[in-house]
Amino acid sequence: MKEIPFLRRTLVPVAIVAACALLSNLVYFGLRGVDASLINQTVRIAAATAAGALYFLSTAFGPFFVYRATQRRGASVGESILAAVAVPFAWMTKEVLLLVSSHPFIECLYWYLNPFNIWFVLLIAAECGAAALIVRRGRVRAGEPAGSARVPALVIAFSVALIVFLYAWGKGENVYVIFLEGYRFLFGTGV
């Protein structure tokens, strides 16, 4: 099999997910500014719901698609992981930048560590593990070298266990309190 160039094996899957996320974001938030007299309210709600669902799916579950697609195109594990986290990291960065209008930039960077982002990173790790197992199964069926299933299975188990533990421990409130205490320790009471 001929090796696919780096840009095609990694950026094409990322670009597909990023385009879905960006376009659905524009439609979802763009419909807010549309005059109600210009469009039927039912159509507007249906379009916003569909765009919001696509935005969520492409951001939250895009890493599964990207990891699987890059692996099938011959990317290394490192390349696949970097590609898989590109769109979620862009989303997290957008959320951090929204805070710049009300907080100093250095404090905004701390927002990357909020509990939702921690859970999101754990979800992404579980998705990449699941995608690795699916790619491995396809390689086994094709008679190609597939590698061990142990590491992806451990990543899934660890990620899911940590997600459940962090939520079950005070319904996530304890994690948020730790996040706030870290903020107060670093920045005082803030703005």
Side-chain angles (χ1 to χ4, degrees), residues 12-169:
V12 169
V14 172
I16 292 168
V17 172
C20 288
L22 181 62
L23 291 174
S24 57
N25 177 292
L26 292 173
V27 170
Y28 181 76
F29 289 106
L31 286 172
R32 288 181 179 178
V34 175
D35 185 10
S37 64
L38 296 177
I39 189 169
N40 181 313
Q41 190 67 7
T42 305
V43 171
R44 186 166 127 171
I45 290 171
T49 301
L54 181 59
Y55 183 46
F56 169 76
L57 291 172
S58 58
T59 305
F61 298 107
F64 176 83
F65 167 79
V66 171
Y67 189 93
R68 185 171 169 258
T70 56
Q71 281 288 289
R72 294 179 87 193
R73 291 166 174 252
S76 69
V77 171
E79 290 172 344
S80 294
I81 290 170
L82 287 175
V85 300
V87 171
F89 182 73
W91 177 81
M92 290 177 197
T93 302
K94 174 195 66 96
E95 296 299 313
V96 166
L97 293 176
L98 289 173
L99 296 173
V100 171
S101 64
S102 61
H103 291 76
F105 182 72
I106 194 72
E107 290 181 26
C108 295
L109 292 178
Y110 185 74
W111 189 248
Y112 279 113
L113 300 177
N114 76 66
F116 181 81
N117 285 352
I118 300 300
W119 280 314
F120 194 16
V121 167
L122 292 170
L123 173 67
I124 293 166
E127 289 178 39
C128 290
L133 289 177
I134 290 170
V135 169
R136 182 187 180 283
R137 185 182 68 199
R139 288 180 179 159
V140 167
R141 286 184 179 168
E144 299 172 4
S148 172
R150 190 174 309 139
V151 173
L154 287 172
V155 168
I156 294 169
F158 179 77
S159 298
V160 170
L162 205 50
I163 288 169
V164 170
F165 170 76
L166 291 175
Y167 182 75
W169 184 40

